[in-house]
Amino acid sequence: MPETQSTNWSPTSWTQFPAAQQPTYPDQAALDVVVQQLAALPPLVTSWEIESLKTQLAEAAAGERFLLQGGDCAENFADCEPSTIANKLKILLQMSLVLVHGTHKRIIRVGRFAGQYAKPRSSDTETVDGRTLPSYRGDIVNGIAFEPDSRQPDPTLMLRGYERAALTLNFVRSLIDGGFADLHHPEYWDVEFVKHSPQAAEYQRMVESIGESLRFMETLSGVQVGQLNRVDFFTSHEGLHLLYEQAQTRQVPHRRGWYNLSTHFPWLGMRTANADGAHVEYFRGIANPIAVKIGPDMTEQWLAELLDVLHPNNEPGRLTFITRFGAHHIAEQLPPLIDAVEKAGKRVLWVCDPMHANTETTANGYKTRKFEHILAELEQAFEIHKMKGTYLGGVHFELTGDTVTECTGGARGLNENDLKRAYKSHVDPRLNYEQALEMAMIIARRVQ
Ligand code: PEP
Ligand code: CO
């Protein structure tokens, strides 16, 4: 632990450290009222769910499970509606079935949802036609419209975000409890696109055989698959907006420590992972399993500091490293960091985020990612861990269950001209339903 960091932790001790990426609210009294209200509302998740996830992540780190984490780059308040939520859940469940089939491992399913409302920005302000306004920091902070009123950070949006997170979670839990037909009937899946893939016949067989094994399991156990693993769905978001996180950080009866009860699995973004900053201070004190994004700027020294501060006791399941180097850099940048973790004698769960360092901008101004680059980073991650004798225990995608056109490539061969057709993301480009399912099929095939 850096000398400056005191062991005296509390949910507000982060305020003694420099906090990057926080909004500047115009009215401190109004902000205080909101934080008090948030702190009094019931939690969104429970400590026993959080501990159960931690146990599962420990099993993944030991090579016995595989993590599938995915969802939007940023959730929008407007997307808190039934079909968007159901489609997102559906694609994650379908991908997880494909992955069970391919990896023969139990899959941990974690959504980037029910709280993924705050975004880090490269600049505090944005200038358009000579007018400068605060940058858009996500629906929980301000509005995207380039108008002074909308861009002014409004603390009550934290309450609106918390409520939408609760509504999302309630609907997700109900869908899963109700058995959600798509889970056990692969014949309902929309797999038209596989016809466009050279692996069409193989993918068709994969879907059929998933259906057969599900029916077999149901016959054998006498219970529907949907009921076999009812509540095994977890939430995650970037723990960026520290007042929002702090307000829902609580102690619970009969357990030690403090839990962030706004989500099961918060992660630290690349821009706020400096070892002596406010975010690391906040994260070190919560009992949740946590993840840190690791990108090209990470050094062995910095990684060692993070291991000291965030993972002092080497508690199983506590720490996940989500690596995002890009298809062209992972081969040179991942191996020394794996060595640094081994040298520290710590165990972490290694996950690959093949999205964030493969972003590019097209000539007509669309932020996009190529399916082939995403796949190339992922395949190298599998290879590198195999070579090093470590285990790639999960994947982290930005995806949606809807038919958007934001990433190019995949079986249908989307190209740059297709992007304008259905580009919906305000931030990063996501895999669409078909691209996400195809990605899962390719992983399943390679791992087999
Ligand atoms: C994200 O996950 O949307 C993100 C901003 O990632 P990173 O911190 O890895 O850039
Ligand atoms: Co993103």
Side-chain angles (χ1 to χ4, degrees):
M1 181 183 314
E3 294 302 317
T4 51
Q5 218 148 12
S6 123
T7 47
N8 294 325
W9 183 93
S10 80
T12 57
S13 57
W14 63 267
T15 56
Q16 305 303 310
F17 295 81
Q21 300 285 344
Q22 302 306 291
T24 309
Y25 290 100
D27 180 347
Q28 183 65 40
L31 177 62
D32 293 343
V33 169
V34 165
V35 173
Q36 268 172 27
Q37 285 177 345
L38 266 180
L41 288 164
L44 298 179
V45 302
T46 63
S47 62
W48 55 93
E49 292 165 350
I50 291 173
E51 288 299 333
S52 152
L53 174 62
K54 202 193 282 173
T55 304
Q56 295 188 25
L57 292 169
E59 290 165 4
E64 293 153 17
R65 284 183 184 260
F66 193 78
L67 169 73
L68 170 66
Q69 185 176 20
D72 301 307
C73 181
E75 290 175 283
N76 302 324
F77 286 2
D79 280 345
C80 186
E81 52 89 28
S83 75
T84 307
I85 298 169
N87 287 346
K88 211 163 4 186
L89 185 64
K90 182 155 59 171
I91 182 61
L92 286 167
L93 290 171
Q94 293 181 359
M95 288 173 84
S96 76
L97 281 179
V98 170
L99 290 172
V100 174
H101 190 74
T103 61
H104 299 293
K105 297 215 154 102
R106 282 172 300 168
I107 304 298
I108 310 170
R109 303 147 174 160
V110 177
R112 271 179 77 114
F113 59 43
Q116 178 51 17
Y117 292 122
K119 291 312 293 176
R121 302 315 304 254
S122 49
S123 162
D124 279 342
T125 56
E126 186 181 346
T127 302
V128 176
D129 298 334
R131 249 194 342 164
T132 299
L133 292 175
S135 294
Y136 170 64
R137 289 190 171 278
D139 280 6
I140 203 164
V141 173
N142 55 1
I144 197 162
F146 195 75
E147 293 301 331
D149 277 356
S150 130
R151 286 296 174 93
Q152 181 77 268
D154 172 0
T156 63
L157 294 174
M158 278 193 268
L159 289 164
R160 304 292 86 81
Y162 164 87
E163 289 153 4
R164 277 173 176 77
L167 294 169
T168 303
L169 208 44
N170 182 58
F171 189 44
V172 165
R173 292 196 204 273
S174 309
L175 285 172
I176 292 175
D177 280 357
F180 205 26
D182 284 89
L183 180 56
H184 38 115
H185 288 288
E187 62 273 23
Y188 295 167
W189 296 7
D190 183 4
V191 288
E192 262 300 297
F193 73 97
V194 304
K195 297 202 182 88
H196 302 274
S197 160
Q199 276 77 43
E202 191 182 341
Y203 290 159
Q204 197 57 51
R205 267 199 309 277
M206 200 184 276
V207 172
E208 280 158 20
S209 115
I210 291 170
E212 278 159 25
S213 18
L214 289 174
R215 280 186 290 277
F216 178 71
M217 265 165 63
E218 289 182 344
T219 315
L220 206 66
S221 63
V223 225
Q224 288 199 330
V225 172
Q227 256 122 43
L228 281 176
N229 45 12
R230 284 221 330 228
V231 286
D232 264 5
F233 211 106
F234 301 98
T235 65
S236 67
H237 66 248
E238 178 172 350
L240 183 70
H241 194 324
L242 289 172
L243 283 172
Y244 181 79
E245 307 302 326
Q246 168 204 309
Q248 295 180 57
T249 303
R250 322 255 167 98
Q251 283 178 304
V252 299
H254 316 302
R255 276 192 209 278
R256 295 177 49 195
W258 293 82
Y259 288 85
N260 180 335
L261 298 176
S262 74
T263 188
H264 300 109
F265 189 23
W267 79 82
L268 262 172
M270 202 39 222
R271 290 160 196 77
T272 49
N274 45 319
D276 42 18
H279 289 79
V280 168
E281 169 61 16
Y282 170 77
F283 269 72
R284 87 181 164 94
I286 54 173
N288 302 56
I290 59 172
V292 185
K293 292 285 203 90
I294 303 288
D297 297 336
M298 184 57 60
T299 62
E300 285 146 73
Q301 172 62 30
W302 181 1
L303 196 81
E305 284 171 21
L306 289 175
L307 287 168
D308 278 351
V309 181
L310 298 173
H311 200 29
N313 307 319
N314 207 15
E315 183 197 0
R318 158 71 173 169
L319 186 62
T320 295
F321 280 152
I322 305 173
T323 64
R324 26 89 85 224
F325 296 111
H328 302 297
H329 299 287
I330 182 172
E332 136 223 352
Q333 292 176 330
L334 177 57
L337 297 177
I338 295 178
D339 293 341
V341 173
E342 300 286 300
K343 192 168 143 215
K346 300 272 167 81
R347 177 175 271 180
V348 302
L349 170 61
W350 290 103
V351 170
C352 175
D353 164 359
M355 312 298 292
H356 281 89
N358 289 310
T359 315
E360 48 195 286
T361 306
T362 63
N364 47 357
Y366 283 102
K367 217 175 169 188
T368 191
R369 291 162 174 156
K370 293 192 169 83
F371 190 91
E372 68 202 70
H373 287 163
I374 297 168
L375 184 58
E377 177 161 3
L378 198 52
E379 289 190 321
Q380 292 175 80
F382 276 112
E383 268 314 300
I384 293 165
H385 282 290
K386 196 165 151 199
M387 240 161 48
K388 285 277 177 196
T390 44
Y391 172 66
L392 179 66
V395 286
H396 182 115
F397 290 115
E398 285 186 344
L399 54 81
T400 162
D402 296 321
T403 310
V404 301
T405 56
E406 298 171 5
C407 292
T408 58
R412 279 195 203 269
L414 293 185
N415 62 41
E416 290 189 5
N417 292 326
D418 292 311
L419 297 180
K420 60 180 176 302
R421 189 148 40 85
Y423 197 104
K424 307 241 173 79
S425 175
H426 294 316
V427 268
D428 291 340
R430 302 160 294 178
L431 295 172
N432 64 23
Y433 173 81
E434 296 183 343
Q435 290 169 326
L437 194 55
E438 184 181 359
M439 192 58 79
M441 288 172 164
I442 297 175
I443 301 171
R445 189 164 162 260
R446 299 294 153 95
V447 175
Q448 241 164 9

PDB file of all heavy atoms in Angstrom, residues 331-346:
ATOM      1  N   ALA A 331      -0.005  -9.190 -27.849  1.00  0.00           N
ATOM      2  CA  ALA A 331       1.069 -10.197 -27.831  1.00  0.00           C
ATOM      3  C   ALA A 331       2.304  -9.674 -27.107  1.00  0.00           C
ATOM      4  O   ALA A 331       3.015 -10.419 -26.443  1.00  0.00           O
ATOM      5  CB  ALA A 331       1.432 -10.600 -29.257  1.00  0.00           C
ATOM      6  N   GLU A 332       2.519  -8.358 -27.212  1.00  0.00           N
ATOM      7  CA  GLU A 332       3.717  -7.819 -26.584  1.00  0.00           C
ATOM      8  C   GLU A 332       3.390  -7.328 -25.159  1.00  0.00           C
ATOM      9  O   GLU A 332       4.237  -7.377 -24.267  1.00  0.00           O
ATOM     10  CB  GLU A 332       4.268  -6.742 -27.537  1.00  0.00           C
ATOM     11  CG  GLU A 332       4.741  -5.441 -27.014  1.00  0.00           C
ATOM     12  CD  GLU A 332       4.239  -4.285 -27.922  1.00  0.00           C
ATOM     13  OE1 GLU A 332       3.667  -4.545 -29.024  1.00  0.00           O
ATOM     14  OE2 GLU A 332       4.393  -3.143 -27.498  1.00  0.00           O
ATOM     15  N   GLN A 333       2.139  -6.907 -24.907  1.00  0.00           N
ATOM     16  CA  GLN A 333       1.854  -6.268 -23.620  1.00  0.00           C
ATOM     17  C   GLN A 333       1.285  -7.167 -22.527  1.00  0.00           C
ATOM     18  O   GLN A 333       1.484  -6.889 -21.348  1.00  0.00           O
ATOM     19  CB  GLN A 333       0.933  -5.069 -23.859  1.00  0.00           C
ATOM     20  CG  GLN A 333       1.683  -3.987 -24.626  1.00  0.00           C
ATOM     21  CD  GLN A 333       0.819  -2.802 -24.991  1.00  0.00           C
ATOM     22  OE1 GLN A 333      -0.387  -2.949 -25.185  1.00  0.00           O
ATOM     23  NE2 GLN A 333       1.425  -1.637 -25.095  1.00  0.00           N
ATOM     24  N   LEU A 334       0.586  -8.229 -22.907  1.00  0.00           N
ATOM     25  CA  LEU A 334      -0.005  -9.075 -21.860  1.00  0.00           C
ATOM     26  C   LEU A 334       1.025  -9.934 -21.110  1.00  0.00           C
ATOM     27  O   LEU A 334       0.990  -9.997 -19.878  1.00  0.00           O
ATOM     28  CB  LEU A 334      -1.146  -9.927 -22.450  1.00  0.00           C
ATOM     29  CG  LEU A 334      -1.822 -10.922 -21.509  1.00  0.00           C
ATOM     30  CD1 LEU A 334      -2.399 -10.234 -20.267  1.00  0.00           C
ATOM     31  CD2 LEU A 334      -2.924 -11.719 -22.222  1.00  0.00           C
ATOM     32  N   PRO A 335       1.971 -10.594 -21.829  1.00  0.00           N
ATOM     33  CA  PRO A 335       2.866 -11.534 -21.115  1.00  0.00           C
ATOM     34  C   PRO A 335       3.619 -10.938 -19.920  1.00  0.00           C
ATOM     35  O   PRO A 335       3.624 -11.567 -18.850  1.00  0.00           O
ATOM     36  CB  PRO A 335       3.810 -12.034 -22.216  1.00  0.00           C
ATOM     37  CG  PRO A 335       3.003 -11.894 -23.472  1.00  0.00           C
ATOM     38  CD  PRO A 335       2.191 -10.646 -23.292  1.00  0.00           C
ATOM     39  N   PRO A 336       4.233  -9.739 -20.029  1.00  0.00           N
ATOM     40  CA  PRO A 336       4.955  -9.233 -18.844  1.00  0.00           C
ATOM     41  C   PRO A 336       4.040  -8.976 -17.643  1.00  0.00           C
ATOM     42  O   PRO A 336       4.468  -9.090 -16.502  1.00  0.00           O
ATOM     43  CB  PRO A 336       5.595  -7.918 -19.321  1.00  0.00           C
ATOM     44  CG  PRO A 336       5.099  -7.648 -20.683  1.00  0.00           C
ATOM     45  CD  PRO A 336       4.415  -8.861 -21.210  1.00  0.00           C
ATOM     46  N   LEU A 337       2.764  -8.658 -17.927  1.00  0.00           N
ATOM     47  CA  LEU A 337       1.842  -8.400 -16.811  1.00  0.00           C
ATOM     48  C   LEU A 337       1.410  -9.703 -16.149  1.00  0.00           C
ATOM     49  O   LEU A 337       1.208  -9.759 -14.928  1.00  0.00           O
ATOM     50  CB  LEU A 337       0.653  -7.570 -17.290  1.00  0.00           C
ATOM     51  CG  LEU A 337       1.052  -6.167 -17.810  1.00  0.00           C
ATOM     52  CD1 LEU A 337      -0.157  -5.421 -18.327  1.00  0.00           C
ATOM     53  CD2 LEU A 337       1.754  -5.349 -16.728  1.00  0.00           C
ATOM     54  N   ILE A 338       1.301 -10.748 -16.941  1.00  0.00           N
ATOM     55  CA  ILE A 338       1.031 -12.067 -16.344  1.00  0.00           C
ATOM     56  C   ILE A 338       2.198 -12.435 -15.428  1.00  0.00           C
ATOM     57  O   ILE A 338       2.008 -12.876 -14.289  1.00  0.00           O
ATOM     58  CB  ILE A 338       0.844 -13.145 -17.444  1.00  0.00           C
ATOM     59  CG1 ILE A 338      -0.409 -12.846 -18.277  1.00  0.00           C
ATOM     60  CG2 ILE A 338       0.781 -14.543 -16.831  1.00  0.00           C
ATOM     61  CD1 ILE A 338      -0.663 -13.812 -19.425  1.00  0.00           C
ATOM     62  N   ASP A 339       3.424 -12.167 -15.914  1.00  0.00           N
ATOM     63  CA  ASP A 339       4.612 -12.446 -15.088  1.00  0.00           C
ATOM     64  C   ASP A 339       4.585 -11.649 -13.788  1.00  0.00           C
ATOM     65  O   ASP A 339       4.949 -12.162 -12.728  1.00  0.00           O
ATOM     66  CB  ASP A 339       5.896 -12.109 -15.856  1.00  0.00           C
ATOM     67  CG  ASP A 339       6.104 -13.042 -17.055  1.00  0.00           C
ATOM     68  OD1 ASP A 339       5.480 -14.125 -17.071  1.00  0.00           O
ATOM     69  OD2 ASP A 339       6.880 -12.680 -17.964  1.00  0.00           O
ATOM     70  N   ALA A 340       4.158 -10.381 -13.888  1.00  0.00           N
ATOM     71  CA  ALA A 340       4.149  -9.524 -12.689  1.00  0.00           C
ATOM     72  C   ALA A 340       3.188 -10.071 -11.631  1.00  0.00           C
ATOM     73  O   ALA A 340       3.475 -10.021 -10.430  1.00  0.00           O
ATOM     74  CB  ALA A 340       3.769  -8.096 -13.063  1.00  0.00           C
ATOM     75  N   VAL A 341       2.049 -10.609 -12.065  1.00  0.00           N
ATOM     76  CA  VAL A 341       1.096 -11.184 -11.108  1.00  0.00           C
ATOM     77  C   VAL A 341       1.686 -12.457 -10.486  1.00  0.00           C
ATOM     78  O   VAL A 341       1.603 -12.671  -9.278  1.00  0.00           O
ATOM     79  CB  VAL A 341      -0.269 -11.478 -11.778  1.00  0.00           C
ATOM     80  CG1 VAL A 341      -1.194 -12.223 -10.830  1.00  0.00           C
ATOM     81  CG2 VAL A 341      -0.923 -10.171 -12.241  1.00  0.00           C
ATOM     82  N   GLU A 342       2.309 -13.269 -11.322  1.00  0.00           N
ATOM     83  CA  GLU A 342       2.925 -14.503 -10.815  1.00  0.00           C
ATOM     84  C   GLU A 342       4.018 -14.162  -9.798  1.00  0.00           C
ATOM     85  O   GLU A 342       4.118 -14.787  -8.756  1.00  0.00           O
ATOM     86  CB  GLU A 342       3.529 -15.316 -11.967  1.00  0.00           C
ATOM     87  CG  GLU A 342       2.504 -15.745 -13.019  1.00  0.00           C
ATOM     88  CD  GLU A 342       1.592 -16.869 -12.541  1.00  0.00           C
ATOM     89  OE1 GLU A 342       2.112 -17.956 -12.217  1.00  0.00           O
ATOM     90  OE2 GLU A 342       0.360 -16.653 -12.482  1.00  0.00           O
ATOM     91  N   LYS A 343       4.803 -13.137 -10.127  1.00  0.00           N
ATOM     92  CA  LYS A 343       5.907 -12.726  -9.258  1.00  0.00           C
ATOM     93  C   LYS A 343       5.387 -12.266  -7.890  1.00  0.00           C
ATOM     94  O   LYS A 343       6.000 -12.519  -6.858  1.00  0.00           O
ATOM     95  CB  LYS A 343       6.692 -11.595  -9.933  1.00  0.00           C
ATOM     96  CG  LYS A 343       8.010 -11.292  -9.276  1.00  0.00           C
ATOM     97  CD  LYS A 343       8.863 -10.378 -10.155  1.00  0.00           C
ATOM     98  CE  LYS A 343       9.639  -9.397  -9.281  1.00  0.00           C
ATOM     99  NZ  LYS A 343       9.800  -8.088  -9.892  1.00  0.00           N
ATOM    100  N   ALA A 344       4.235 -11.606  -7.911  1.00  0.00           N
ATOM    101  CA  ALA A 344       3.657 -11.129  -6.651  1.00  0.00           C
ATOM    102  C   ALA A 344       3.047 -12.287  -5.852  1.00  0.00           C
ATOM    103  O   ALA A 344       2.646 -12.114  -4.698  1.00  0.00           O
ATOM    104  CB  ALA A 344       2.594 -10.066  -6.936  1.00  0.00           C
ATOM    105  N   GLY A 345       2.948 -13.457  -6.478  1.00  0.00           N
ATOM    106  CA  GLY A 345       2.388 -14.617  -5.790  1.00  0.00           C
ATOM    107  C   GLY A 345       0.893 -14.491  -5.538  1.00  0.00           C
ATOM    108  O   GLY A 345       0.351 -15.100  -4.615  1.00  0.00           O
ATOM    109  N   LYS A 346       0.219 -13.723  -6.377  1.00  0.00           N
ATOM    110  CA  LYS A 346      -1.227 -13.531  -6.189  1.00  0.00           C
ATOM    111  C   LYS A 346      -1.995 -14.271  -7.286  1.00  0.00           C
ATOM    112  O   LYS A 346      -1.492 -14.464  -8.390  1.00  0.00           O
ATOM    113  CB  LYS A 346      -1.569 -12.035  -6.286  1.00  0.00           C
ATOM    114  CG  LYS A 346      -0.869 -11.164  -5.239  1.00  0.00           C
ATOM    115  CD  LYS A 346      -1.676 -11.069  -3.956  1.00  0.00           C
ATOM    116  CE  LYS A 346      -0.883 -10.481  -2.796  1.00  0.00           C
ATOM    117  NZ  LYS A 346      -0.805  -9.025  -2.822  1.00  0.00           N
TER     118      LYS A 346
END
